[in-house]
Amino acid sequence: MAAVENQTPIQMVLKVAEIEGKGRGLVASQSLKAGQVVLRDSPILLYPAFPLKQQRALEGVSSSFKYCGHCFRNIIGENGSVSSTRFTCPLCFHPDDGVFCGPKCQSLALASTHTPWVCQALNHLRNCPSLVDQQADECQVQARFLVSAYNLAMISPSNFQTLLSLDGGEPLNGDGDATAAVLLHSLISALPLPEGVLAPTVQLTAALLAKDKRNAFGLMEPFSEHRERSVRAYAIYPNASFFNHDCLPNACRFDYVDTTFDGNTDIIVRMLHDVPEGREICLSYFPVNLSYSERQRRLLDDYGFACLCDRCKVEVNWSDKEDEGENEAMEEEEDDDMDQHMSGSDDGNNEIEVEGKDDFPHAYFFLSYMCNRNNCGGTLAPLPPSSGVISNIMECNVCGGLKSEEEMECVQE
């Protein structure tokens, strides 16, 4: 894992600004260097990505039971064994939510994320046939989110207000969203609430669902070359939620969920290359090697907007066949052709400039910032600078692999 100590406070390197056509976003308040950590953010809300209905065991262990119910670290040993010492919720002992990696997480969970009310609410929903037997997994995960959100309102009203302040677009965006909101509200409003807590309204439930859809980050399962990764948990971050999307991002996120240090669910954002003051800092909401049609579909379905970035303006006129063959075309470009996409490469400036919409704005990006490991598709960012010197070691934000500039050059040749 890359070191992130002694980072600059967010207000010194980033600022929230109105971005034309996008709403609020984050822009550089000073010039930023490749590999620089511009944000480390802790979640205000964290909840499992598994449905409420008990999942069938995979090799003897259910998917949800692999992870601590509070910090979501992997609690399965390398040989697939589960520790005989179990730290559980004294009320439910439920394998999906009530098992923890140690006494510290157990104590923290019982006081915050797995309070007696959460325990009671989840147990009630698991025994609701209209939810667990008749609704899709996605609806069950949304029910988990609402329980976590209303629990947040009880244990941390200030964080709940922060959640409400995040962008959510239109709360009832289409018939499907409206139907889901009404159904889930009917289930949540039937839960027993602590004395003095007012019952939520359907408008509040709808607004919360919209904010979750627009702002939740997935914490992924460990990388494997042999299978696709799934989401183990969702997290909502108060500052990282302001990052807008770009199909050619200038920064990428890292998370180190299975490490042992405190704050393992924090999100860490590092710069891919140099950017000047005033430039918007963007992430890609998914792997950058997806086709134009797939990117547009996912953005519209998951976030409610169509992308108009420089890359999409080029690819919109491509046929599906051209789109699918895009990666092969990029690999065949000569290194000399790639140089035209770099400005100031002779004077140590690592900022990327795109020249003209008829060029391939992603050609240099694919060669320089895409991990080529099998089944990865991650983005490579330099390790944080040391004493102001930019590192020549690149780290993948998916598989965690490290590559030197020399290794990258060998791949490109």
Side-chain angles (χ1 to χ4, degrees):
M1 173 193 164
V4 294
E5 292 81 5
N6 301 320
Q7 59 203 307
T8 306
I10 181 175
Q11 63 269 24
M12 295 183 64
V13 297
L14 301 175
K15 60 183 179 181
V16 178
E18 287 293 325
I19 309 297
E20 184 178 357
K22 295 182 177 181
R24 292 179 296 181
L26 292 173
V27 301
S29 53
Q30 64 181 45
S31 60
L32 302 173
K33 293 295 184 182
Q36 182 174 346
V37 174
V38 294
L39 177 66
R40 178 169 184 168
D41 209 9
S42 299
I44 57 173
L45 189 66
L46 191 63
Y47 64 96
F50 304 105
L52 288 161
K53 188 171 185 179
Q54 184 75 36
Q55 299 298 291
R56 291 180 296 176
L58 176 63
E59 299 177 356
V61 180
S62 70
S63 295
S64 49
F65 185 60
K66 293 180 180 180
Y67 306 108
C68 172
H70 180 70
C71 72
F72 295 97
R73 290 186 180 96
N74 193 345
I75 59 176
I76 303 298
E78 292 184 0
N79 60 356
S81 62
V82 182
S83 172
S84 58
T85 304
R86 298 185 181 183
F87 300 89
T88 61
C89 168
L91 297 178
C92 70
F93 306 98
H94 201 281
D96 286 355
D97 302 284
V99 178
F100 309 101
C101 63
K104 182 177 181 179
C105 272
Q106 179 192 46
S107 177
L108 290 171
L110 297 181
S112 58
T113 57
H114 194 80
T115 62
W117 180 80
V118 170
C119 187
Q120 183 182 21
L122 292 176
N123 184 61
H124 178 87
L125 292 174
R126 285 194 192 94
N127 290 287
C128 181
S130 63
L131 177 62
V132 297
D133 293 333
Q134 300 176 22
Q135 299 301 320
D137 288 355
E138 179 183 3
C139 186
Q140 297 178 43
V141 175
Q142 288 178 313
R144 281 188 178 277
F145 160 72
L146 288 173
V147 169
S148 297
Y150 286 124
N151 177 63
L152 185 68
M154 300 177 205
I155 65 171
S156 180
S158 62
N159 279 340
F160 185 70
Q161 290 303 314
T162 298
L163 174 63
L164 291 178
S165 72
L166 299 178
D167 177 54
E170 294 296 327
L172 298 179
N173 186 20
D175 293 341
D177 289 347
T179 300
V182 172
L183 169 66
L184 288 166
H185 177 72
S186 67
L187 297 172
I188 297 298
S189 60
L191 296 174
L193 293 171
E195 185 176 353
V197 176
L198 297 177
T201 64
V202 67
Q203 291 80 11
L204 179 57
T205 296
L208 287 170
L209 289 171
K211 294 176 189 301
D212 175 57
K213 183 175 182 178
R214 287 288 186 94
N215 297 285
F217 287 79
L219 300 181
M220 305 301 290
E221 294 185 325
F223 170 76
S224 171
E225 290 188 349
H226 308 295
R227 65 177 183 274
E228 296 299 318
R229 295 199 306 166
S230 299
V231 181
R232 69 175 87 178
Y234 289 105
I236 295 179
Y237 300 90
N239 297 303
S241 296
F242 288 107
F243 283 111
N244 286 321
H245 167 83
D246 196 290
C247 295
L248 288 181
N250 50 22
C252 69
R253 55 169 283 205
F254 288 83
D255 51 57
Y256 304 95
V257 184
D258 289 316
T259 53
T260 57
F261 66 86
D262 290 340
N264 69 305
T265 56
D266 288 359
I267 189 173
I268 298 167
V269 178
R270 294 214 307 263
M271 299 304 301
L272 301 186
H273 52 78
D274 294 357
V275 300
E277 180 180 351
R279 180 73 55 84
E280 184 182 10
I281 308 304
C282 294
L283 307 177
S284 177
Y285 292 172
F286 37 69
V288 296
N289 60 348
L290 296 183
S291 68
Y292 170 79
S293 57
E294 177 66 10
R295 298 196 312 271
Q296 293 291 347
R297 184 191 64 78
R298 288 184 61 170
L299 288 170
L300 191 60
D301 290 349
D302 296 344
Y303 302 98
F305 70 90
C307 184
L308 298 174
C309 71
D310 290 336
R311 179 182 172 189
C312 287
K313 289 176 181 177
V314 171
E315 293 183 15
V316 67
N317 295 317
W318 291 6
S319 67
D320 290 340
K321 186 175 181 180
E322 287 174 321
D323 210 15
E324 292 169 359
E326 154 190 345
N327 289 353
E328 295 180 7
M330 295 307 101
E331 293 173 358
E332 293 174 359
E333 292 285 346
E334 295 294 330
D335 288 350
D336 289 343
D337 293 332
M338 297 305 99
D339 291 341
Q340 67 179 316
H341 296 277
M342 292 293 290
S343 69
S345 59
D346 292 333
D347 60 7
N349 187 346
N350 292 307
E351 181 185 348
I352 290 182
E353 290 292 345
V354 178
E355 300 181 358
K357 71 174 185 178
D358 292 330
D359 294 334
F360 293 107
H362 40 331
Y364 185 87
F365 188 99
F366 273 34
L367 288 173
S368 297
Y369 303 109
M370 278 286 298
C371 182
N372 64 349
R373 187 173 178 181
N374 183 49
N375 198 40
C376 180
T379 302
L380 299 167
L383 295 181
S386 177
S387 301
V389 178
I390 294 175
S391 174
N392 66 350
I393 303 298
M394 307 285 279
E395 180 185 14
C396 177
N397 69 343
V398 172
C399 70
L402 299 176
K403 295 183 179 181
S404 66
E405 283 186 355
E406 291 76 13
E407 291 173 314
M408 295 295 295
E409 290 171 358
C410 288
V411 171
Q412 295 179 21
E413 290 177 355

